[in-house]
Amino acid sequence: GGAAVSRTGGTSSSYPSRTNSFASTSARASSSSSSSSSSSSIEVITFDLDDTLWPTGPVVTAANQAFVSYCQARIPGFPDCDGVNEYMKRVRQERMDEALAKRTKHYPLSFASLRIAAGYAAAIDQGCPPHDAIAVVARGYHIAWIPARGKAAQAHLFPGVHECFKALRQNYPDAVIGSITNGLGSAAGAGLGKYF
């Protein structure tokens, strides 16, 4: 995780992830602009999101709770967050065992797909009809989990994130700022869209 900077001429720099402050990154952004020449102007700046701009743990925990609360309100007996995590482990293991038994390659599910599959299995185990189970769980993921993740990310931004992006935008107004992430974090969902 962290940030990467691409300059004209093909050179790049990496900055390590900050888990407590963006002050040093912001300072680097301010000092870099005064020392960079026009032939090496920065064109692209990318950031990882989770554990770079906000801590992943409390953000995903809040999103999981929103998902579970949504499903519990619609499916009697739907498990709590720990229960859904156990279903996720079960679904993952069943898929691995099935691939092994068939001697085929196991293609792991994303956490999003795994969470939906686990929620579906939990709903079925509670006697929910299959068509209702998939409808409630998929909607719960999209209208509860995803927005809750964005709100939690915004609430848990590391200190100095806004200042860092303001300095980058001021010092490199023509640079493209983007995110590279393997998760479903969203800079816009976290209230940072104006910088990207």
Side-chain angles (χ1 to χ4, degrees):
V5 175
S6 177
R7 298 178 184 270
T8 53
T11 61
S12 65
S13 304
S14 291
Y15 296 108
S17 175
R18 300 283 175 212
T19 57
N20 58 8
S21 175
F22 265 70
S24 60
T25 303
S26 184
R28 274 197 300 265
S30 296
S31 66
S32 307
S33 66
S34 59
S35 64
S36 65
S37 67
S38 61
S39 65
S40 63
S41 65
I42 292 176
E43 295 179 343
V44 178
I45 304 167
T46 60
F47 287 87
D48 184 25
L49 300 175
D50 292 326
D51 285 331
T52 301
L53 303 181
W54 55 76
T56 304
V59 170
V60 172
T61 297
N64 286 345
Q65 187 56 59
F67 169 72
V68 164
S69 295
Y70 179 93
C71 292
Q72 285 177 334
R74 291 156 181 83
I75 301 169
F78 194 85
D80 62 10
C81 289
D82 290 338
V84 171
N85 285 338
E86 290 304 313
Y87 273 96
M88 289 173 70
K89 291 175 191 175
R90 186 181 97 190
V91 168
R92 180 185 296 125
Q93 189 61 53
E94 287 172 357
R95 289 177 48 79
M96 289 172 25
D97 293 346
E98 183 179 331
L100 183 61
K102 291 180 178 180
R103 295 182 181 200
T104 60
K105 181 172 173 64
H106 171 247
Y107 294 96
L109 292 174
S110 67
F111 278 112
S113 298
L114 190 57
R115 191 169 286 109
I116 292 169
Y120 175 79
I124 293 297
D125 283 354
Q126 296 307 313
C128 189
H131 54 278
D132 290 345
I134 195 61
V136 170
V137 170
R139 284 185 57 80
Y141 183 77
H142 290 284
I143 66 175
W145 196 93
I146 292 173
R149 188 188 207 291
K151 288 178 188 169
Q154 187 170 12
H156 288 89
L157 288 173
F158 288 129
V161 168
H162 280 284
E163 294 79 5
C164 175
F165 281 113
K166 285 176 186 171
L168 288 171
R169 271 286 152 236
Q170 180 181 352
N171 295 322
Y172 307 104
D174 297 327
V176 174
I177 298 178
S179 65
I180 299 175
T181 182
N182 63 347
L184 291 174
S186 165
L192 301 171
K194 64 185 175 185
Y195 303 117
F196 284 77

